[in-house]
Amino acid sequence: MRKQSLILSVAVALIAFSTACKKENNVVNDRPLTAAAAAHTCGDSTISGVITSNLYLGDCKIYKLSGIVYVSNNATLTIAPGALVQGIKGAPGGTLVITRGSKINAAGTQTAPILFTSDQASPVSGDWGGIVVLGKANINQGDSALVEGIGGTPPASAYYGGTVTNDNSGVLTYVRIEYAGYELSVDNELNGLTLAGVGSGTTVHHVEVYKSKDDAFEFFGGSVSASYLIAAYPLDDMFDFDNSFSGTINYALGLSDQTRADKSQSNGIECDNLATGDSTKTPITKPVINHMTIIGLPNATLASTTTGAPSGTGRYGRGAHFRRGSRFDVRNSIFMGFNTGISLDASVGSGTGATASNTPCAYFRGLSVLDNNLVHAFSSTVAPFTIEGTSACLNSNAFYNLASALNGGFNTTDPNNDIQLVAPFGTTAAGFYPQPSGEADVYKAGAFKIGDADWTAGFSRFGN
């Protein structure tokens, strides 16, 4: 197959490439003329450096990202339905960064999803860096913060944040991101999909992150809402919220990797206001979560491992870990298969002179919400709803009693004994639906409902 190496670091080269690409792909007015283009039969094109003007990637070539590729200068990167983009393996490997003011328009469809994956014949988690979108929406670190996972002196801005709540960074729909993630240093990583300071004008739905080496999805501040998300087998957390994120997540599925766990503990949800735990910094992180299903491990032995690959010290954590001054609104969701279900962590998070403002106290005061959720945990009777550290407002027994008034808590050997999904530890979407008349069906909780269409169809991948 013919290969072309196109280094897109200046605008002149970029325009020439874009024109040639349209001609070779039989594209008129940014639309492919033939359905056969989806076979990716038009050769390879390598992209590197800084993209400074609008660029279209069709569905005929295989596009390869070499190193960290930036879309800058208010440019828009448009990616056709059915397109294939590969990250060239490296440290961090191919990575796509959409800078503030620029946009990504990756509008796949159910029948022609867009695939971002490794360039390796036998891919593994962490082959490439993933996708980073930087926006101008609110964060609690001032007007600007440097995104995690990018070292050195980048050739384009790697900062995010601002005051534009409805900022629009583009479209991500029917997209799958495979084998991404990179650890630059401890607690400084690239994820499968990083949305940093991304505003509510951005469209995100039907996106899967598969086998990321760090988190699947991480939201650093911003107000973007997203729906129909799949976090499949990440090394670290499935969904991570920080630095004043205030968007809504509707219908999402998270699946633990039973073969590996992170040294920092692998959680379903991890949520911080700030890494320092200061709950006086505003806006305060408060994700709104509706109809999420988090599946952990099928038994307590797996959930209790302390020697997980790849570090040899990997551990599984909690279904949801709310800490460091964060707040939350979680409804109609399912968490199962962890030693701890929903944890409110008071070990860090009071903020200077604000001892009643930490995460447990916010729930006690009605500033956070748990409603109509089903939560299983292995380790103890109160483990479905528990307090870590010492809170002036709540202990684990008090939290369990408060939460149990509006939610179901379970502590059984079989995590599915009471919740009753069809086959939650399997590898098909059918297994995540409720059994008729089981608790999940009665509560109408979780990401799937009896009688509803399978929203994962067409773009998703389960199993190895």
Side-chain angles (χ1 to χ4, degrees):
M1 184 177 289
R2 181 168 55 90
K3 291 182 176 285
Q4 296 175 334
S5 180
L6 303 175
I7 308 303
L8 308 179
S9 57
V10 296
V12 173
L14 177 62
I15 294 169
F17 168 75
S18 181
T19 303
C21 182
K22 290 180 183 180
K23 187 181 297 181
E24 293 177 17
N25 284 302
N26 295 318
V27 173
V28 175
N29 296 327
D30 288 345
R31 293 293 181 269
L33 293 177
T34 65
H40 310 299
T41 57
C42 299
D44 301 350
S45 292
T46 299
I47 306 172
S48 67
V50 181
I51 297 170
T52 57
S53 61
N54 295 343
L55 177 64
Y56 176 88
L57 305 184
D59 63 353
C60 188
K61 287 188 177 182
I62 299 173
Y63 297 93
K64 298 194 174 188
L65 305 174
S66 176
I68 301 178
V69 176
Y70 297 84
V71 180
S72 188
N73 196 40
N74 298 318
T76 296
L77 175 64
T78 299
I79 304 176
L84 174 59
V85 181
Q86 297 178 341
I88 296 175
K89 185 173 182 175
T95 303
L96 180 62
V97 178
I98 311 300
T99 66
R100 285 189 293 191
S102 297
K103 294 181 181 180
I104 182 170
N105 182 16
T109 67
Q110 186 176 34
T111 56
I114 295 168
L115 177 59
F116 292 87
T117 190
S118 167
D119 73 325
Q120 298 295 292
S122 298
V124 296
S125 180
D127 274 351
W128 65 292
I131 299 175
V132 180
V133 183
L134 308 175
K136 300 178 181 178
N138 301 80
I139 60 174
N140 56 14
Q141 300 165 286
D143 288 344
S144 193
L146 180 66
V147 74
E148 283 188 4
I150 296 177
T153 303
S157 175
Y159 284 84
Y160 68 95
T163 58
V164 186
T165 301
N166 65 345
D167 188 40
N168 181 0
S169 294
V171 176
L172 285 165
T173 62
Y174 288 101
V175 168
R176 188 167 78 243
I177 304 164
E178 301 178 338
Y179 304 111
Y182 172 72
E183 183 180 51
L184 178 67
S185 58
V186 176
D187 296 326
N188 187 13
E189 306 99 348
L190 291 168
N191 308 286
L193 177 60
T194 300
L195 299 173
V198 175
S200 60
T202 308
T203 300
V204 181
H205 65 77
H206 293 92
V207 177
E208 177 177 19
V209 175
Y210 177 88
K211 285 193 176 288
S212 173
K213 194 173 181 180
D214 192 56
D215 300 335
F217 297 86
E218 183 152 17
F219 298 80
F220 291 101
S223 51
V224 63
S225 291
S227 57
Y228 303 110
L229 305 181
I230 305 172
Y233 324 116
L235 175 61
D236 197 7
D237 306 316
M238 301 171 193
F239 301 94
D240 197 339
F241 307 102
D242 317 272
N243 302 350
S244 84
F245 176 73
S246 61
T248 297
I249 309 298
N250 281 314
Y251 292 94
L253 173 67
L255 304 173
S256 286
D257 191 329
Q258 298 181 27
T259 68
R260 59 182 188 152
D262 196 48
K263 58 184 181 292
S264 67
Q265 299 191 45
S266 302
N267 301 295
I269 293 173
E270 185 173 271
C271 187
D272 304 337
N273 190 47
L274 275 177
T276 62
D278 191 346
S279 58
T280 66
K281 294 294 185 181
T282 58
I284 291 175
T285 302
K286 188 178 180 179
V288 177
I289 296 168
N290 287 302
H291 293 289
M292 178 178 282
T293 296
I294 299 292
I295 306 297
L297 293 309
N299 57 66
T301 300
L302 272 175
S304 302
T305 186
T306 58
T307 59
S311 67
T313 59
R315 296 178 293 158
Y316 298 100
R318 314 138 185 96
H321 189 199
F322 296 103
R323 62 180 187 173
R324 295 176 177 172
S326 64
R327 300 175 186 174
F328 52 87
D329 187 328
V330 182
R331 304 171 191 257
N332 309 310
S333 295
I334 293 172
F335 302 84
M336 70 160 71
F338 291 89
N339 280 331
T340 299
I342 294 178
S343 163
L344 309 187
D345 195 337
S347 57
V348 178
S350 60
T352 303
T355 56
S357 296
N358 62 22
T359 297
C361 288
Y363 178 77
F364 179 75
R365 293 160 56 199
L367 300 175
S368 293
V369 175
L370 293 171
D371 187 19
N372 201 55
N373 302 293
L374 298 174
V375 183
H376 165 271
F378 288 115
S379 62
S380 70
T381 302
V382 298
F385 307 101
T386 197
I387 300 293
E388 295 184 52
T390 301
S391 169
C393 302
L394 287 172
N395 59 29
S396 290
N397 286 326
F399 176 38
Y400 179 85
N401 290 334
L402 277 175
S404 295
L406 295 175
N407 306 272
F410 311 101
N411 172 235
T412 50
T413 302
D414 175 3
N416 194 40
N417 184 73
D418 297 288
I419 295 174
Q420 295 187 331
L421 301 182
V422 172
F425 300 101
T427 56
T428 65
F432 309 126
Y433 279 81
Q435 298 179 32
S437 302
E439 289 288 83
D441 184 30
V442 171
Y443 272 64
K444 306 303 179 191
F448 302 87
K449 297 178 186 176
I450 292 175
D452 283 0
D454 174 13
W455 56 262
T456 73
F459 79 103
S460 63
R461 176 180 180 182
F462 299 114
N464 293 317

